[in-house]
Amino acid sequence: KRRKHKPLALMFPNMELVKRCCYVSSEEENMLLSNVAPIVLLRKKEGVFFPENLSYDNDYIGVFLPYSGLFKVLFHKINEPLIMTSANISSEPILYREDEVIDANLTNVILMHNREITSPLDDSVVFVEGENTIIVRRSRGYVPIPIILPGRSRLNILGLGAHKKTTFSLLKGEYIIPSQEIGEMDAILSINRYRYILSHFRKLF
């Protein structure tokens, strides 16, 4: 994936094992078990071995629980964490069609299902500080939930994101509707994905 030093997330089979390996507050546990089911950044416990290349020089690790039927089936016979990452080359958008993954030559085996993916989304990432939850990456579970404004705009406005980790937002009435993180605009794949998701949002809203 060409991302030697970027951290990777671990999907744990259950909360019991998460608590054996990481410090978990009640707020963090609530986030892990919520319907959003994001990756939560948790502090590693002393004396628990984590391979260094999961999160270089970092006291925290990204942790989440199985949130789909396919993941739950995987963990029926596996009682240890699995390293999870999106199917993409670093800086490019996630791949979600079988032919794209095969063409990218990222894997030896593909486990498929018959549910069509219409809107490709990365996992959301959050960090809990006290009673506050900070959204590090706003994606699956949060998108396309709108941000509600105190007033109402007379214009419909499209706001385009930055060059790296780009997103866009639609302003309609009293709602700002942010997109998921798409990728970096150096890659033609990211530009094409940007256009696809923007077209999808315009149809929805």
Side-chain angles (χ1 to χ4, degrees), residues 6 9 19 24 38 44 55 60 62 72 75 89 92 94 120 125-126 129 146-147 152 164 175 192 195:
K6 284 188 178 180
K19 290 180 176 179
V24 186
K44 303 169 187 172
S55 55
Y60 287 80
K72 291 178 190 295
F75 281 109
I89 300 296
E92 293 183 1
I94 58 173
V125 181
V126 304
E129 178 139 30
I147 298 165
R152 184 178 178 85
K164 290 188 178 291
Y175 301 113
N192 291 340
R195 289 173 173 154

Side-chain angles (χ1 to χ4, degrees), residues 88-108:
N88 70 307
I89 300 296
S90 186
S91 303
E92 293 183 1
I94 58 173
L95 306 176
Y96 67 103
R97 294 192 179 99
E98 183 180 6
D99 58 334
E100 292 178 330
V101 179
I102 292 169
D103 290 344
N105 197 28
L106 290 173
T107 182
N108 296 321

Side-chain angles (χ1 to χ4, degrees), residues 30-48:
N30 288 339
M31 282 307 307
L32 286 166
L33 296 171
S34 71
N35 60 347
V36 175
I39 295 171
V40 180
L41 300 178
L42 299 178
R43 194 155 56 89
K44 303 169 187 172
K45 280 190 174 178
E46 295 87 353
V48 176

Side-chain angles (χ1 to χ4, degrees), residues 154-180:
R154 290 175 295 167
L155 300 173
N156 294 336
I157 297 172
L158 168 63
L160 305 177
H163 185 81
K164 290 188 178 291
K165 301 186 182 297
T166 192
T167 63
F168 62 81
S169 289
L170 301 177
L171 172 60
K172 184 175 183 179
E174 66 270 34
Y175 301 113
I176 295 175
I177 308 160
S179 77
Q180 61 267 45

Side-chain angles (χ1 to χ4, degrees), residues 103-123:
D103 290 344
N105 197 28
L106 290 173
T107 182
N108 296 321
V109 177
I110 300 175
L111 175 62
M112 293 297 296
H113 57 76
N114 59 2
R115 297 184 67 191
E116 183 183 358
I117 299 170
T118 57
S119 185
L121 290 147
D122 258 312
D123 296 300

Side-chain angles (χ1 to χ4, degrees), residues 50-61:
F50 287 95
E52 184 186 6
N53 56 0
L54 283 180
S55 55
Y56 285 97
D57 300 324
N58 197 326
D59 293 333
Y60 287 80
I61 190 80

Side-chain angles (χ1 to χ4, degrees), residues 132-159:
N132 299 316
T133 299
I134 299 159
I135 301 175
V136 178
R137 181 169 68 198
R138 192 179 195 274
S139 197
R140 179 189 53 76
Y142 289 108
V143 172
I145 298 170
I147 298 165
I148 302 174
L149 298 172
R152 184 178 178 85
S153 171
R154 290 175 295 167
L155 300 173
N156 294 336
I157 297 172
L158 168 63

